[in-house]
Structures are given as C-alpha cells and as structure tokens.
Amino acid sequence: MIANGKRVWIDSHIHVYANMSDGTPRYDIDNLMAVLDADDAHLIWIPSDARPDYGQLNKEPAEFVRLINEAQLELIRQVPEGRMFGSISVHPGAVAESIEAIDVYSGEHGFPQVGEVLGYAMGFALDTPEMIEIARHAAKRGLPLECHCSTAGQPFGNQIRQTINLARQVPEAKIIAAHALGGTNSWLHITAAEVYYDMGGENLWLEIRDFNTRAYLRAALQRLGSERLIVGTDWLGRANEPYAPYGVLFHVDPEDMPYPCNAASLEGFLREAGASDEDVDRIAALNSIELFGLQDRLGL
C-alpha cells in the first residue's frame, strides 16, 4: 500500500517506555517522532507497556491495569493523530478491571488492540479461565488480543500452545502470536499455526520480528500464506536514551547492524523470501488495517 508516495508500514508491536524518575510518566516525544519521520516509509505504530516498572506493578494486578493504561494514554495523546494507536493492558488477576479497561480505552480513546499479554514474565498461563473471559470480552469489542510467544526461549513451545489453545477456546476472538517469527522457535510456531489452520482455525495471526531471517519468512509464506502475517518488530524506546532507528534488530546496537535500519530493508527481506507485491502490501499494512479496524483512522 502506497500513500502520498510512501510505503505504509504498520508495526503492531512497539514499546516506548516513559521516564518514571518522579513517579509521573514523561516521554521524549520529539526524539520519538524523529524516529518515525526519519524513515522513508510512512510508519504507524501500536505501542504497549508504557511504564518500565510493569514487572513491579504485576504484584498488584488492579494497579497494573490502571497505571499501565493511564501511561499508555498519556503517550498516545502527545503523538500526531494517525501515527500511533494504543494497546490495552490486561491482567487475569484483575478480570473486572481488565474488562472495564477494554471498554474505556477502546470506547473512549480508540485503542484497537489488547496486549501485549506477557504471561510468562508475570507468572500466569495465557489460556486460563480468566484469560478466556478477557479474550471473550475483547472479541465483543472487536479487538485483537496479542499474546507473547517466546522467540528463542521455552523450546517446548509452552506459550504458542497456550496462545493457540486460547484461540481454539474463543473462536470469535482475534488472537495474535507476538513476535512469532524471527528466533529459534520460529519453526515450532510455523508448524503449530499450520496444524491449527489445517484443523479449521481461522482466528490466529503471527507477527514477524526479525525480517532478515529469510528462511523463516519463506517457510511462513509458503506454508501459512501472507493473509495471517503482520509486522511486530518489538522495537524498544527507553527514556533518557538515544532512540535506535526503526528496523534495528532486538537487543542489537545500531552500529552492529548487518543492514540499514529502515522499513525498506525489511521490505527487501520479504521480497528475497519470495513475497509478491500483494504479499508485501498485505504484511506491511493491509492485514493490520483490517485486523485493527483502521480503515478510516489513518488520515492518508
């Protein structure tokens, strides 16, 4: 999808952490917009987990839900319309508060996604009865729910199994396997998704994190098709640090990158993996526009 001469590139998995030194979230919006505007593509982001102390807040699930979402809203309000859309944080230890947050932040503030749900880091499974209740409510609001699936750890596939089980138990939900493609677990994730699709599952999407892993991309395109693949690079921006350029590999310093950091490089890897023009359009933007209901919200 090209708009105003630029490739539209929507990344549904971004983290922008606030400076919390005084207990109030503060963001370096100028630096953040500089990253967005430096790229030749028209970048649109869906960030989540806007406070760096989310692990500490996990001890009080209700406070976690309240404070993370408040911080997320503070971030989104400072960004020009159409460049960022918020993601709603939930917790199975606070089901009522999570359901209320879904209603408030989708209804009043237009957040189009629930997640990222970091079950492994917070000590819960992704397919518990509480998560099923949350997923059902997200489905009622038409919101996809993004579940963390370990890219390299947990080689036995605990998280992708839980994610697919959640999708199976709530077939009306739209479930995203976060950063499913890019690390050593990619083969497992591709195979698990292929089996689920072959058994009739239609409500699972996979994020691509590391686009330079051409073999994974090629296998996903050939075995899954481009219709269920979206961008989810896990780009990380922390307060009081120079923000890395977009397209940098997770936990790799920009000066050590093996390719230029920009969306054009990521598109190039898709094409090297065999993606057609239609595939690129779908993965870069069209799938996400449909999935997140952004058809009339991009201002393009």
Side-chain angles (χ1 to χ4, degrees), residues 134-171:
I134 290 170
R136 284 177 176 157
H137 195 76
K140 289 179 182 178
R141 304 290 303 198
L143 304 181
L145 190 148
E146 179 190 47
C147 297
H148 175 100
C149 289
S150 179
T151 312
Q154 298 213 345
F156 298 109
N158 297 345
Q159 291 155 28
I160 190 65
R161 176 187 59 77
Q162 294 165 12
T163 296
I164 290 177
N165 190 36
L166 181 65
R168 181 185 63 80
Q169 294 195 70
V170 192

Side-chain angles (χ1 to χ4, degrees), residues 2-297:
I2 306 298
N4 301 321
K6 290 188 173 185
R7 162 71 64 192
V8 180
W9 189 272
I10 302 174
D11 194 327
S12 63
H13 195 146
I14 296 289
H15 298 283
V16 181
Y17 290 142
N19 176 1
M20 301 296 298
S21 59
D22 64 351
T24 302
R26 300 180 186 277
Y27 302 93
D28 187 347
I29 298 298
D30 291 339
N31 193 357
L32 188 62
M33 291 306 303
V35 175
L36 280 165
D37 293 337
D39 203 290
D40 287 338
H42 182 80
L43 298 182
I44 298 167
W45 288 352
I46 304 179
S48 61
D49 295 333
R51 285 180 61 132
D53 56 347
Y54 67 88
Q56 182 70 22
L57 294 175
N58 180 50
K59 297 176 182 178
E60 296 291 341
E63 283 295 275
F64 169 88
V65 171
R66 181 177 69 85
L67 292 173
I68 295 289
N69 286 311
E70 287 178 359
Q72 183 78 346
L73 181 59
E74 182 65 22
L75 166 64
I76 299 301
R77 280 175 167 168
Q78 298 180 63
V79 178
E81 186 175 357
R83 300 304 301 277
M84 284 194 193
F85 299 91
S87 191
I88 305 164
S89 288
V90 296
H91 196 296
V95 172
E97 291 83 357
S98 296
I99 287 174
E100 181 181 8
I102 290 171
D103 289 340
V104 170
Y105 285 91
S106 66
E108 296 182 16
H109 306 297
F111 285 20
Q113 177 176 247
V114 175
E116 173 190 17
V117 183
L118 287 159
Y120 86 106
M122 298 186 182
F124 60 82
L126 298 166
D127 56 352
T128 63
E130 293 80 9
M131 280 304 306
I132 289 170
E133 185 175 355
I134 290 170
R136 284 177 176 157
H137 195 76
K140 289 179 182 178
R141 304 290 303 198
L143 304 181
L145 190 148
E146 179 190 47
C147 297
H148 175 100
C149 289
S150 179
T151 312
Q154 298 213 345
F156 298 109
N158 297 345
Q159 291 155 28
I160 190 65
R161 176 187 59 77
Q162 294 165 12
T163 296
I164 290 177
N165 190 36
L166 181 65
R168 181 185 63 80
Q169 294 195 70
V170 192
E172 70 272 26
K174 295 179 283 190
I175 303 297
I176 300 171
H179 42 60
L181 302 179
T184 55
N185 284 358
S186 296
W187 296 120
L188 188 156
H189 296 158
I190 291 168
T191 299
E194 183 179 27
V195 170
Y196 183 63
Y197 295 152
D198 286 347
M199 294 178 67
E202 298 180 344
N203 61 331
L204 178 70
W205 285 257
L206 275 66
E207 290 179 354
I208 304 171
R209 190 189 76 174
D210 303 340
F211 281 75
N212 64 322
T213 53
R214 301 167 185 82
Y216 300 145
L217 294 188
R218 187 175 295 109
L221 286 165
Q222 291 174 351
R223 295 167 61 183
L224 308 178
S226 62
E227 295 83 358
R228 290 293 186 269
L229 302 177
I230 61 176
V231 180
T233 63
D234 216 3
W235 182 91
L236 178 63
R238 296 182 183 275
N240 298 329
E241 295 179 6
Y243 288 151
Y246 181 73
V248 68
L249 287 168
F250 189 73
H251 282 167
V252 175
D253 291 331
E255 57 269 23
D256 295 329
M257 283 291 296
Y259 59 82
C261 295
N262 51 49
S265 290
L266 308 188
E267 178 181 342
F269 291 128
L270 282 174
R271 295 189 182 280
E272 289 176 18
S276 66
D277 289 346
E278 180 181 356
D279 292 330
V280 172
D281 284 345
R282 284 186 175 279
I283 294 169
L286 296 181
N287 289 341
S288 291
I289 290 172
E290 181 179 359
L291 180 62
F292 299 112
L294 301 179
Q295 291 86 343
D296 300 321
R297 303 183 61 191

